Every structure is written in C-alpha cells, then in structure tokens.
Amino acid sequence: MFSATLNTHFSGNMALFSISEDTPVGTQIYILNGTDPEGDVVRYGLAFEKGSKEYFRADPKSGNVSLITALDREVVEKVRIFVTDANDEPPEFLNLPFIVDVSEDMDAGSSLYKVHAVDRDMGSGGSVSYFLQSSPFTKFTIDSHSGILRIKPGEKLDYETTRTHFITVVAKDGGGKYNGQYQVMSSSATITINVLDAQDTPPMFVGTPYFGYVYEVSGPGSEIFTVFAKDGDEGNPNPIQYSIVNGSDGIFSMNSSSGCISLQADPMHLRNELFELKVKASEVSPDNKELDYTTTMVTVRVVDLNNHPPTFYGENGPQNRFELTMYEHPSEGEILRGLKITVNDSDQGANAKFKLRLVGPGRVLRVVPQTVLNEAQVTIIVENSSAIDYEKYQFISFKLLAVEIDTPERFSATADIVINLLDTNDNIPKFSTEYYIARVAENSPGGSNVVSVTATDPDSGLWGEVKYSIYGTGADLFLIHPTSGIIYTQPWATLDAEVKSKYNFYVKAEDSEGKYSLAEVFVTVLDLNDHSPEFSEDFVEKTMVIGAPIKIEALDDDAEEPNNVIEYSIMKADPDNIFEINTDTGEIKLKPFVKSLDIVHNITKHKDCKWSLVVQARDRGNPSFSTTAVVKIDITEATLLKGPVAAFLMQSRENPLKALGAMAGFISVMVVMTVLISTAMYLRNSKSNRIMPSRRIIRRRPRDRCQWNLNFKKPFGWPDSSNRFVVEDPEGKNHNISLNNNSPRGGFPPPSAPKLPPPPMSNLKYGERMGTVPTISGTLSSKGSKKFRRNTENSVSNALVSELKMKLEQKILEANQGYC
C-alpha cells in the first residue's frame, strides 16, 4: 500500500489505476500532472507505508511513474495515496462590494453589517479573522471572529458633518507552512457607509446679519429686505415658513413663503431712524405642523437717498471757475482772500460728508477744511512762497475737488482755480561765471577789446535791464560798456608786460533798483619780444687767470620767457680756437689745452697776452634780437695767494673801489659792535649795587710793582665747573683764582704774589668816586698807565667778559681790606 505525495493539484486518479502483472520492470505506467496557482515549480513523489514493498517510483521533475519491481497478481497490495494541504490560499471576501446605508440617528454599538470571507486551505490556514485598517479617529469597529461591523461606543454619525465613510476591512488566515516556510495570507476590501439624514437639525438663516434701508423716495409696499433660511437636515428637508416675531410696530410686513419684508407706511411719517425686527423661520411637516424653528434679527435703517452731489458756489451762485491776480512770493501762511468759495451737499448724514483737496503743483497751496459735512467756506492758504514765482509761471492752475467719503456712489464736484501772477523785483543780476580770465597783447592800441562779461536778470521790464561798471585798483587802464558788458582798454592806455603783466579788478552788474552782483576779472598782458639783449658796456676789459673763467652778462628787458632768455656765442676771435663760452651763463674760459702762459706765448706773438673777442648775446624770442660787445681779456697766471682772500683780490683787480668798499664796511661793523658793547657795559655797571661809593686802589712802590694780566681761558669769560679763573703774570706764570665764597680769605690766596702797598691818603668825602676804578679793564695798574688802559679797552674779548671782571674786582677789594 502506498500513497502519492503531491505538493499541488494533480489530474487523474491513481487509486483506480490497473496494470498487468506481466508489465516489464522500468515501464512508464503513469504520469502525474500538477499545477501551482502561484506559478511555482511543481515536484512529484510517491510515499509507501512502513514495511510495505515499493513497486513504483515517480520522477520528481517530470512526474513519470515507472515500475521498479515485478508484479505478481497473486500478491495483493492495497494502494492509498494521501495529498497533504499547504497554506497556499488567501481568504476571499464574499458578496462584494460592501455598501451600507445607515441613518445618522443610529445608536452607538449598533450592528451595521456582517462581512464574510472563506479560505479553502485546511486547518489553521483555513481559519479567518477580521480587523479594520483605518485611522484611530474612525467611528467604527469590527468583531474579529464574526466580522460584524458596529458603531464605536461613544461615537455618533452626523449627516451634516460627514455623509459618507470609507473603511478598509482586512481578512487574514491562521497561517501555515508553504514550501517549508511559515506564512500568513490576507486580503482586504473597502466598505462604503452612506449616512442617511434624519430630522434632527433646526432651520438656518443664510447671509446673516441682515440690514435693510428705507429711503426718502420709498413708498408703502416697497420691498425692504428678503431673508432666506434652509432646513438643517439637507438630506430630507422640510418646507420653511417666515414670520415677524416683534419690532414691526405695524410698519413692516413679511411674506411667510419668500421671507420678503415690505414697508407698510410712508417714510415721512416714520419717527425712528432705526428698527430692529426679530424674524422666525420654522420647519413645517407635510401635515402643516410646525416642527422646529430658528430666529434672527433684521436691522432696518431709515436713510436719506444720496441724490445730490457736492456743489461749489461763488458770490453769484454755483460756479466752477475762480480767478485771482496777485504778486509773486506771498508770505507763507497767507490766506488768498480774493477767492470767495463755498461748497455744499444737500443730502443728509453720511451722504453729505465729503473731502476737499487741491490737485496741481505739489505743496504750493493747501485747502482748509479738508473734511466737510453739508456745507463749508473754502479757505486756500499759501504753503510754499518760493514756488509762486513769476519767472517760472505767469499763472498757476489748480483743480479743487470735493469727493464723497462713505457713499457707494462717490459723487464729486470739480472747480478750476487760476492764479495770475504779477512780477516783483525779486532777483539780482547774475554773471555767467564768478570770474573771467582775459589775455591781451602788450603794445595793443588804446580801445582794444579785452573780454566780454554777461549777466542776466530774470525779472521783467526795467527790473531785468542790467548796467555794467568796473572798479578796483587794477581798473584804471580799462573801461566797460554799460549795456553790452564789453571791457576794453582806455584810449590813452599802453600796456607793457615789462612794467606790469597782471591786472585784476571787479565788474558789477546792477539793475534799476540798485540790486547787483560782482565778478572778478583777471587780465594777463602777453609779452612780445620788443627788447633786444644789452650789455652794460660795449667794450669790456677782463683779466683771466689761467684755469679760471671770466663772465660777461647781458640783460633783456622782456617780461617772459623765451623772450628774455639769452644765448651767448663768440662771433669773432683771433685766433678763434683759444676761447670757449658757455651759451647759457656767458662764462668765457680758455680751452683745456691752454694750461700756462708758455702755451699762450706759443700761440700769439703779442707778449702782453691781451686778446679781444666779439661776443654776441641773442634772445630766444620770435623774432629774435641780438647785440654784441667787445671783450678785451688780459691773461695771467695764478699767484701764490690762495683761499677766498686771494680769489677776492683777484676779482678786485679790475675794480679797486669794490675792495675799498668791502674793507670800509668791515671796519664800520666792528666799530658799531664795539660801541654797542661798551654802552651796554656802562649801563649795567651804573645800575649795579655791588660798586661801592668810593674805592681805594692799593699801590706798591715802583720797584715792587707787578702787573697782573688776566687771560681768561673761557672765550666768553665764564669760569669752569670749579668756579676758577687762570691768571697769567708778566713772567708767564699762571695763577688760579677761585670765586668760591667759602674761602677763608675771600677766595683769593696767592702765596707767591707780592703784597699790595697801603692805600695813599685821600681827601675824598663819602659818596665821591675814585679817579680810576678798573670796571672795564681786567688789569691792575697805576694812574699813569694810560696806554695800557687804552690797549685793554680796545680788546673786544675783555669787553665781552665785563661782568666777570666786576665780580673779580669785588673780590680784590675784599682782599685789600684784609691786608690793611
């Protein structure tokens, strides 16, 4: 007994198969034919009971069944073939599509529908469970075993909010093996739930809030406003009826079917301007019973009809053009009183409210008031005085607008305002430039044109006429035409660049009222080459030292280059190869090969070595002028004198007066310096408190007399850092003199110096001065030493240290008193 194992469906029934016992072994006796719904590869095989003999074998790929053991009919075998199930089928929903109609008033937890799905697999693979695949906010739930769909507890359907719900239900099997692997198979389907409307919502007014208006032209029966309401249950709406609950006061009526509110009285008889009507919309059942209702308010305003636009009025009635004549540049803030304008709107309330504004050149004028209710006097004020300029506009035009503010019609009115301007003298003449630059050739004849100036005055009439004049220190040689502005030279004037080449003066432009402006004129006199170069003398004698140049010079009186630039050249020389000249400086020198008088003697037979040259000086002007001079040159060799003194003497050989003048000047300077220094010393000594009223000179006998020459080592007589002087005696010995007041004997202790003789008897009274007081000289001497004093007084160096000498004399006086 055996069973055939097939992993899929197979055709034929091998259990009813018969075969002859004499069938040879290896004969193909049967073909297993199987298919797989998923398209997987099918494999074949046979299974035999344990202990039974195997007679057949199935090829796993082709399904061919072959005999592998000889058959014997007398041997009976019972064959059973079992095919085991695999989880290869998903659940399938029945009765698709799922569409459910549910009333919105169905209670939570109510059963809505039962879904059913089958799975043809066996065992757990054939069991089916259900769940919803939806958002967590779904209003529905499903029983996982029975598939019954219900409304979630606490949830309620609302037709007015959501009329259709779409949910997805999933059916899955219990899972099983397939091809050796465990798998769970599922399928899904969509359930469409249509919510049916129920009568649970009252009527709703559409387009609230409601406002109606009663106009002045309305009459009884006029429709004021129509309200509209609809049943909140739109799926099955009921008819609506309208009515006025209160607020009508018999003035208004309402159509119960259309909701139209009508006027029942004349507007002229209405005492109130505002009415509040409460109206009701009710649902009516088919048997004409009121079911549910709602109310709202309707505001009715009695208003004026906007049928009058704003209007401008003048002194004689309505007017749309106003003119004014005024002078330019009125004061800012000034009211244009010549304009008499009134504006009016005959409507009432908001219909009579409008704005005023001016349209024209910006920020020149402004209008007051800017907002008007019913009527106002229009005032126009100057805002920008400078913009009201006759030179820019002879007249200015504006548009005066009146436009309603809060009306749908936006009625408006327009008036033209024309301001004719009169000119004033508000401008000064103005030159085309702040300064003028002119050039005129020298030697131009009198009356020659120099430059033309231009000034303009934008004022009209006589105010715009300009007269010119000139003034200033440089204007003496010039005139100006008073109306054309042409500047020309005086008839008698002669311009010479060599005398004066630059002139500047002012030109004034003035109107008829004296308003003026200035400009500066700069005139340059152009130089002409009208002078030739000139030497100081036609015949010049010079002495030339070999190796040093001599110089000649010519002057050109022209004012500017190149007319006054001179070039020098040697026109004639005999011989002509000895000298050369610098073309720019006029320096003449021997050529480099002439280095001694011997070479000069070899060149010429003249033993006096005096040669003559013809030198030309030519300017660079156009045309060019020139002049010549004869230069006589005496050639000599350099002397033994060297240095600046020698050079000065050599240069002064030809001009002795020059040398004498220099010496006299030097002596004069020295004398003046001496006088000044002496005067300063005298004035200082006369004011000094250190000079005693009377003073004695201590003298020794003639044989013991000793002169002390004070030779100050410091150039200006100042002591060194130790406050000491060095004094030299007639024998050439040096003695140090200290000015230190801390010395016990007054700072003058010369151990080798002879003692001074006692002072001679004197009959001088107190307060008289001694005949000889050495306040200038630095040497102690007797009265008879006049020559020595003169030599000392002539010493410039001793005079420069006079202050130190006075200090020294004071020390000597103190020392003399000590000896006495």
Side-chain angles (χ1 to χ4, degrees):
M1 181 176 182
F2 67 93
S3 62
T5 301
L6 183 62
N7 292 335
T8 182
H9 302 293
F10 58 89
S11 61
N13 189 354
M14 197 172 178
L16 302 177
F17 172 72
S18 62
I19 185 174
S20 176
E21 65 177 345
D22 59 353
T23 301
V25 176
T27 302
Q28 180 178 334
I29 63 174
Y30 197 82
I31 298 176
L32 296 175
N33 186 13
T35 60
D36 187 85
E38 290 82 9
D40 292 338
V41 178
V42 177
R43 300 188 68 82
Y44 305 94
L46 298 176
F48 294 88
E49 291 182 355
K50 186 177 181 180
S52 63
K53 190 176 182 179
E54 296 183 2
Y55 290 93
F56 307 100
R57 180 177 295 168
D59 185 270
K61 294 183 178 180
S62 63
N64 295 330
V65 179
S66 302
L67 182 65
I68 59 173
T69 303
L71 298 176
D72 187 356
R73 184 180 181 278
E74 286 70 24
V75 178
V76 177
E77 291 286 349
K78 185 183 291 183
V79 178
R80 289 188 299 172
I81 300 176
F82 295 96
V83 180
T84 61
D85 187 35
N87 189 23
D88 60 344
E89 294 289 336
E92 294 182 2
F93 285 100
L94 303 179
N95 302 321
L96 292 175
F98 298 143
I99 300 176
V100 182
D101 293 332
V102 181
S103 177
E104 65 174 337
D105 57 356
M106 183 169 286
D107 297 332
S110 300
S111 175
L112 304 180
Y113 190 76
K114 182 178 182 180
V115 298
H116 182 64
V118 296
D119 192 323
R120 292 183 293 177
D121 290 321
M122 303 294 293
S124 64
S127 64
V128 179
S129 61
Y130 306 93
F131 64 91
L132 297 181
Q133 189 180 44
S134 58
S135 67
F137 303 103
T138 181
K139 295 178 179 290
F140 305 95
T141 183
I142 191 170
D143 187 277
S144 61
H145 299 289
S146 64
I148 297 176
L149 183 67
R150 304 176 186 275
I151 300 176
K152 274 185 178 181
E155 298 289 344
K156 188 174 181 63
L157 302 180
D158 188 358
Y159 174 84
E160 288 72 28
T161 302
T162 306
R163 299 183 181 184
T164 303
H165 298 269
F166 298 95
I167 57 176
T168 300
V169 60
V170 178
K172 68 175 182 178
D173 59 20
K177 288 188 177 181
Y178 179 71
N179 289 336
Q181 295 182 357
Y182 184 83
Q183 68 175 5
V184 176
M185 304 191 73
S186 64
S187 60
S188 62
T190 299
I191 302 175
T192 302
I193 300 175
N194 297 319
V195 180
L196 302 180
D197 190 21
Q199 292 296 328
D200 59 349
T201 305
M204 295 181 296
F205 283 101
V206 178
T208 57
Y210 295 140
F211 297 94
Y213 299 92
V214 175
Y215 298 101
E216 59 181 345
V217 295
S218 300
S222 300
E223 294 183 358
I224 304 303
F225 194 80
T226 299
V227 299
F228 176 72
K230 63 179 181 179
D231 190 351
D233 302 313
E234 297 181 1
N236 186 21
N238 289 320
I240 304 295
Q241 287 186 353
Y242 304 95
S243 62
I244 298 176
V245 178
N246 56 40
S248 172
D249 297 335
I251 300 175
F252 302 98
S253 63
M254 189 172 196
N255 187 300
S256 61
S257 299
S258 64
C260 179
I261 301 174
S262 301
L263 180 65
Q264 300 297 317
D266 192 331
M268 301 299 293
H269 299 155
L270 299 181
R271 297 180 179 179
N272 299 331
E273 294 183 357
L274 188 67
F275 294 88
E276 295 286 344
L277 304 181
K278 184 176 182 179
V279 297
K280 181 174 70 172
S282 304
E283 293 184 29
V284 180
S285 65
D287 55 355
N288 205 23
K289 291 183 179 180
E290 183 177 329
L291 299 177
D292 203 353
Y293 69 91
T294 186
T295 61
T296 190
M297 299 301 296
V298 178
T299 301
V300 179
R301 185 182 298 276
V302 180
V303 296
D304 173 58
L305 184 64
N306 187 26
N307 54 358
H308 296 92
T311 305
F312 291 103
Y313 295 87
E315 295 180 337
N316 299 321
Q319 188 173 332
N320 58 7
R321 180 181 176 87
F322 301 87
E323 288 194 29
L324 174 66
T325 300
M326 58 181 290
Y327 284 101
E328 63 177 339
H329 302 304
S331 301
E332 293 186 0
E334 180 179 336
I335 298 174
L336 304 186
R337 302 188 183 280
L339 296 175
K340 307 291 185 180
I341 306 174
T342 303
V343 63
N344 175 270
D345 190 324
S346 300
D347 292 317
Q348 300 297 321
N351 292 335
K353 188 176 181 181
F354 53 92
K355 281 189 175 182
L356 292 176
R357 65 188 181 102
L358 280 174
V359 179
R363 296 185 178 180
V364 177
L365 303 175
R366 61 186 176 93
V367 62
V368 175
Q370 295 184 351
T371 302
V372 179
L373 181 62
N374 289 117
E375 183 176 285
Q377 183 73 31
V378 179
T379 301
I380 297 178
I381 302 174
V382 177
E383 191 172 28
N384 186 355
S385 176
S386 60
I388 306 176
D389 192 351
Y390 177 84
E391 284 71 36
K392 295 179 181 178
Y393 319 100
Q394 279 69 47
F395 65 91
I396 306 177
S397 297
F398 294 88
K399 291 283 188 182
L400 180 59
L401 300 182
V403 182
E404 292 180 349
I405 301 175
D406 298 325
T407 63
E409 295 83 6
R410 304 281 292 183
F411 288 137
S412 63
T414 305
D416 294 321
I417 297 178
V418 179
I419 301 176
N420 299 305
L421 297 180
L422 301 177
D423 192 21
T424 60
N425 188 19
D426 59 329
N427 294 281
I428 63 173
K430 186 177 181 181
F431 283 98
S432 58
T433 181
E434 294 181 357
Y435 57 89
Y436 295 87
I437 298 176
R439 295 175 177 84
V440 60
E442 66 175 344
N443 300 330
S444 297
S448 298
N449 288 350
V450 178
V451 67
S452 178
V453 299
T454 303
T456 57
D457 190 329
D459 290 321
S460 61
L462 296 177
W463 294 325
E465 295 180 0
V466 179
K467 291 185 179 181
Y468 301 94
S469 60
I470 60 175
Y471 68 95
T473 57
D476 298 339
L477 301 180
F478 302 94
L479 295 173
I480 188 170
H481 193 279
T483 57
S484 66
I486 297 175
I487 299 176
Y488 51 91
T489 59
Q490 294 274 12
W492 47 265
T494 300
L495 301 179
D496 191 346
E498 289 75 35
V499 176
K500 187 175 182 180
S501 61
K502 303 290 184 181
Y503 297 88
N504 70 291
F505 49 86
Y506 291 95
V507 59
K508 179 168 72 172
E510 187 176 11
D511 63 15
S512 59
E513 289 189 351
K515 294 184 178 181
Y516 68 91
S517 63
L518 301 176
E520 194 167 4
V521 179
F522 297 90
V523 179
T524 300
V525 180
L526 300 178
D527 182 46
L528 298 179
N529 193 20
D530 55 350
H531 293 83
S532 60
E534 292 184 1
F535 290 100
S536 59
E537 297 178 358
D538 295 337
F539 184 81
V540 182
E541 291 186 359
K542 295 283 186 179
T543 300
M544 178 182 290
V545 179
I546 294 177
I550 63 172
K551 183 177 181 180
I552 63 172
E553 186 176 8
L555 298 178
D556 192 317
D557 291 336
D558 286 317
E560 298 177 358
E561 296 180 358
N563 296 335
N564 59 3
V565 177
I566 300 175
E567 294 181 348
Y568 299 93
S569 62
I570 298 176
M571 300 298 296
K572 183 178 180 181
D574 187 15
D576 58 358
N577 60 347
I578 297 299
F579 299 97
E580 59 185 7
I581 189 169
N582 189 312
T583 59
D584 296 326
T585 63
E587 289 185 349
I588 302 174
K589 62 182 179 179
L590 292 171
K591 290 191 175 181
F593 68 86
V594 181
K595 299 181 179 180
S596 66
L597 284 177
D598 295 336
I599 297 175
V600 175
H601 292 157
N602 293 335
I603 294 174
T604 178
K605 297 178 180 180
H606 301 288
K607 300 304 180 181
D608 55 359
C609 296
K610 293 182 179 181
W611 288 354
S612 298
L613 305 177
V614 178
V615 178
Q616 182 190 64
R618 176 181 294 276
D619 62 27
R620 295 183 181 179
N622 186 19
S624 178
F625 297 100
S626 64
T627 186
T628 59
V630 177
V631 182
K632 187 174 182 180
I633 302 176
D634 183 7
I635 302 177
T636 182
E637 286 186 325
T639 64
L640 296 177
L641 294 176
K642 295 182 179 180
V645 177
F648 174 76
L649 293 177
M650 290 301 298
Q651 295 178 2
S652 303
R653 290 179 57 190
E654 302 171 1
N655 193 357
L657 295 177
K658 181 178 179 181
L660 293 176
M663 294 179 64
F666 177 75
I667 294 173
S668 300
V669 171
M670 295 300 296
V671 171
V672 171
M673 290 179 61
T674 303
V675 172
L676 292 176
I677 294 173
S678 299
T679 303
M681 291 169 54
Y682 173 76
L683 294 175
R684 184 178 183 87
N685 292 337
S686 63
K687 296 179 180 180
S688 175
N689 294 327
R690 296 181 180 181
I691 305 300
M692 300 299 294
S694 61
R695 186 174 180 181
R696 294 183 299 169
I697 303 300
I698 302 174
R699 293 183 176 87
R700 291 183 181 275
R701 291 192 298 271
R703 65 173 181 271
D704 296 330
R705 184 179 304 168
C706 180
Q707 292 183 347
W708 293 84
N709 294 327
L710 303 179
N711 296 326
F712 297 94
K713 301 303 181 179
K714 295 291 182 177
F716 292 98
W718 292 100
D720 55 15
S721 60
S722 62
N723 294 326
R724 302 182 66 85
F725 287 97
V726 179
V727 181
E728 181 180 356
D729 62 8
E731 296 179 359
K733 295 181 179 181
N734 295 332
H735 303 278
N736 294 325
I737 300 175
S738 175
L739 297 181
N740 190 351
N741 294 330
N742 297 326
S743 175
R745 294 292 301 271
F748 185 68
S752 60
K755 294 183 179 181
L756 294 176
M761 297 300 293
S762 175
N763 295 324
L764 293 176
K765 298 179 179 180
Y766 180 78
E768 294 183 359
R769 301 177 67 89
M770 294 290 293
T772 302
V773 179
T775 59
I776 297 178
S777 174
T779 303
L780 298 177
S781 62
S782 62
K783 292 184 178 180
S785 302
K786 295 182 179 179
K787 182 177 180 180
F788 184 79
R789 285 201 308 272
R790 286 196 300 269
N791 292 334
T792 305
E793 290 173 352
N794 292 332
S795 174
V796 177
S797 299
N798 290 337
L800 293 175
V801 295
S802 59
E803 185 175 357
L804 296 176
K805 292 178 182 179
M806 287 189 292
K807 292 182 180 180
L808 180 60
E809 289 170 352
Q810 182 69 25
K811 296 296 182 180
I812 293 173
L813 179 60
E814 294 174 357
N816 291 340
Q817 293 175 355
Y819 281 112
C820 294

